Amino acid sequence: MAIAISPAAPHLSDQRQRLIGWLAVFGSALCFYLATAIINWGRPYVHIDAAFYTFARFVLGFGIVSATMLIKGQRPSCTRVHYIIGRTVTNALAVFCFYKAVDVSTVASANILNMTYPLFVALFSWFMIKGQRDVSALYVVGIASLGIWLILAPGATTPQLGNSWGLLSGFFAGFSILYLNLSRQYHDSQTILFYMFGPGALLILPFLSNSLFLPGKLDIAFLLACSAAGVLGQYLLTYGFLYVTAVEGAVISSSRILIAALLGPLLVADPPLTAAGWLGALILIAANIFLAIRKTG
């Protein structure tokens, strides 16, 4: 949960903390984009399935979290198993669909559609959490659906099926965020990450039945680079939200939409967004910011 900063003039240390928070959240957006760019860069050289990339990311994350907890003498303590299970399952599906979207679509559309998760959080909250029902949020979700359509089917009458993986990643990420918020009431961040990475890796195993192989040196290089970027992004996001407000975090996190749209043609040879695609991306950014403002207002 983000720590709200007082609107009064902060001390120098507070200013530094806020700046560090901004940089950490922005760094997480860059890392999450970089992970997908690495998958794209590896296509001409290695044949690694999205499930293998997902599995490698969880294994690396589990190793880092386990080592950190061992050094600190900390043990995972699970008091609400159903929240942990919900977080683990939905996060694993979200990451798998995210990486699958890169396989069958463009890096830009995968990242932009993954950032639809705040819309799904608002929608799911309406049905699952009575105290968070907000009619205006539903109107925003409806308007943002137009933005999603403009990205899914730019200049076409039917959506491109490959982009549905990106939308699915946002769908499952929305559930994952809800379970994360519930889990944080009973568990510390390290415990949540421990169960998210460890059992998450086991959940991906069935998807590896036709894609698991003994990787060579080049395969390991791409698997490690992609996994490191994803795990670093997760840690930076968790750390950054200690020093920024929810609204600030939403604005900075949504920068991944612009990062994907601007850097895609330069770094991964993505086709430039059409005018309709740009309009859809801007609608999503505005909707994410509005929802964050409504939540903290």
Side-chain angles (χ1 to χ4, degrees):
M1 181 178 294
I3 298 177
I5 307 296
S6 172
H11 297 296
L12 183 59
S13 59
D14 294 332
Q15 291 176 338
R16 287 177 177 174
Q17 286 182 341
R18 178 179 287 187
L19 177 59
I20 290 172
W22 288 348
L23 293 175
V25 176
F26 183 70
S28 72
L30 285 173
C31 285
F32 289 138
Y33 176 77
L34 179 60
T36 56
I38 291 171
I39 294 175
N40 182 276
W41 291 335
R43 284 177 181 171
Y45 310 104
V46 297
H47 301 284
I48 303 175
D49 188 79
F52 206 160
Y53 275 115
T54 306
F55 179 73
R57 170 173 167 171
F58 286 167
V59 169
L60 178 62
F62 182 68
I64 293 174
V65 172
S66 298
T68 302
M69 297 181 75
L70 183 62
I71 293 172
K72 293 182 177 180
Q74 181 182 358
R75 293 182 179 181
S77 176
C78 183
T79 59
R80 295 294 189 277
V81 178
H82 52 298
Y83 291 155
I84 290 292
I85 292 175
R87 167 66 175 169
T88 299
V89 172
T90 53
N91 180 75
L93 290 172
V95 175
F96 171 73
C97 290
F98 184 34
Y99 286 172
K100 188 69 176 179
V102 180
D103 267 349
V104 299
S105 183
T106 66
V107 174
S109 62
N111 278 274
I112 293 172
L113 290 172
N114 177 255
M115 287 303 300
T116 59
Y117 74 83
L119 307 179
F120 288 110
V121 170
L123 188 61
F124 299 154
S125 297
W126 176 270
F127 295 101
M128 298 173 61
I129 307 175
K130 292 183 179 181
Q132 293 188 18
R133 290 182 174 177
D134 186 349
V135 176
S136 62
L138 289 184
Y139 285 123
V140 173
V141 172
I143 295 173
S145 298
L146 172 62
I148 296 173
W149 179 264
L150 290 173
I151 298 168
L152 284 173
T157 56
T158 57
Q160 300 176 17
L161 294 180
N163 286 335
S164 60
W165 285 104
L167 191 59
L168 276 174
S169 74
F171 174 84
F172 286 119
F175 268 120
S176 183
I177 291 298
L178 282 180
Y179 278 116
L180 174 61
N181 288 336
L182 293 171
S183 296
R184 278 177 172 170
Q185 299 176 28
Y186 306 98
H187 311 98
D188 60 88
S189 296
Q190 287 291 89
T191 295
I192 294 172
L193 289 172
F194 178 88
Y195 287 109
M196 184 189 77
F197 284 129
L202 297 178
L203 286 173
I204 296 299
L205 284 176
F207 297 97
L208 286 169
S209 57
N210 297 321
S211 58
L212 186 62
F213 62 94
L214 185 63
K217 292 182 179 179
L218 192 58
D219 301 307
I220 292 175
F222 278 102
L223 285 169
L224 185 59
C226 177
S227 300
V231 173
L232 179 59
Q234 189 72 55
Y235 269 93
L236 285 174
L237 185 65
T238 303
Y239 179 78
F241 264 83
L242 291 174
Y243 303 112
V244 301
T245 66
V247 175
E248 290 170 337
V251 174
I252 301 171
S253 295
S254 293
S255 67
R256 181 151 57 96
I257 296 176
L258 296 178
I259 291 171
L262 293 172
L263 295 185
L266 299 175
L267 297 183
V268 295
D270 274 347
L273 285 185
T274 62
W278 270 110
L279 178 59
L282 293 176
I283 289 175
L284 286 180
I285 293 174
N288 288 350
I289 295 172
F290 178 84
L291 290 172
I293 293 173
R294 291 291 299 178
K295 187 175 181 180
T296 57

